[in-house]
Each structure stands twice: as C-alpha cells, then as structure tokens.
Amino acid sequence: MNINRIDKIIQVYNTQGIKKIDNSKVNSKKDELKLSGKALEYQFAVNSLKNVPDTRTELVEKIKEEIKAGTYEVDGKKIVEKMMENINFDKRA
C-alpha cells in the first residue's frame, strides 16, 4: 500500500464541487451611526469651543494699559470669593 500518494487525495478534494462565493451578488449593508440629541449638542459645543481663542486679547490689553497708567485696582474680596468657589469642603480625599 502506497501512502505517500497525496495527488489522488487532492484530485478527490478538487472534484467535490466547492462553490466560491461571488462577492458582487452579496447584499452588503453599510454600517450606520446615529447620534442621540445630547451627543449632537455635545459635538456642537466642542466644535464651538475650538473656535474660541485661549486668551481674551482685548481684556489683556485693557488690563496692561491700566497697570501702566497705575489705575488698575485689585478687589481682594473678589479674589477670595473665587478661591472659595473652587474649594469643596464636603469632599474627602
């Protein structure tokens, strides 16, 4: 018995009538993404923030001029209020 002859096995395999899939006839559906209303609002807000400059140059120039002229006044109460807004006493680390 000759067991090294695989050509007969390959011939039997090839004659089995293997059908190839025709990709042109396959009904291909495209992926679709639908965003919720909140996601669209968030996307709009993020895109709007990208258009806002990092610094308000008009305000910076105004303060620079007031400092040069000596008319710039610092309100200590406002500074303390802003500092206290950022502190959360109830939060534990």
Side-chain angles (χ1 to χ4, degrees):
M1 183 170 168
N2 190 356
I3 59 173
N4 292 329
R5 299 213 24 142
I6 61 167
D7 56 338
K8 293 282 185 185
I9 297 171
I10 293 174
Q11 185 180 15
V12 170
Y13 179 76
N14 286 334
T15 59
Q16 289 292 321
I18 299 171
K19 296 179 182 178
K20 293 186 178 182
I21 297 174
D22 186 11
N23 288 335
S24 64
K25 294 181 182 178
V26 175
N27 186 9
S28 62
K29 295 182 180 179
K30 294 184 179 182
D31 291 336
E32 189 174 303
L33 174 68
K34 291 185 180 180
L35 298 176
S36 68
K38 286 190 177 189
L40 292 172
E41 289 175 10
Y42 180 76
Q43 183 181 27
F44 177 76
V46 168
N47 289 335
S48 297
L49 283 174
K50 287 179 183 178
N51 296 330
V52 175
D54 290 335
T55 57
R56 296 182 291 175
T57 54
E58 306 87 28
L59 182 60
V60 171
E61 291 302 320
K62 177 186 170 199
I63 293 173
K64 281 183 181 180
E65 293 300 320
E66 288 179 4
I67 290 172
K68 284 181 186 177
T71 59
Y72 183 72
E73 294 182 19
V74 179
D75 187 3
K77 285 185 178 182
K78 285 186 179 180
I79 293 173
V80 172
E81 287 173 3
K82 289 292 181 180
M83 289 172 65
M84 297 304 276
E85 285 177 7
N86 294 328
I87 297 174
N88 189 354
F89 291 108
D90 296 332
K91 204 173 202 180
R92 294 181 183 168

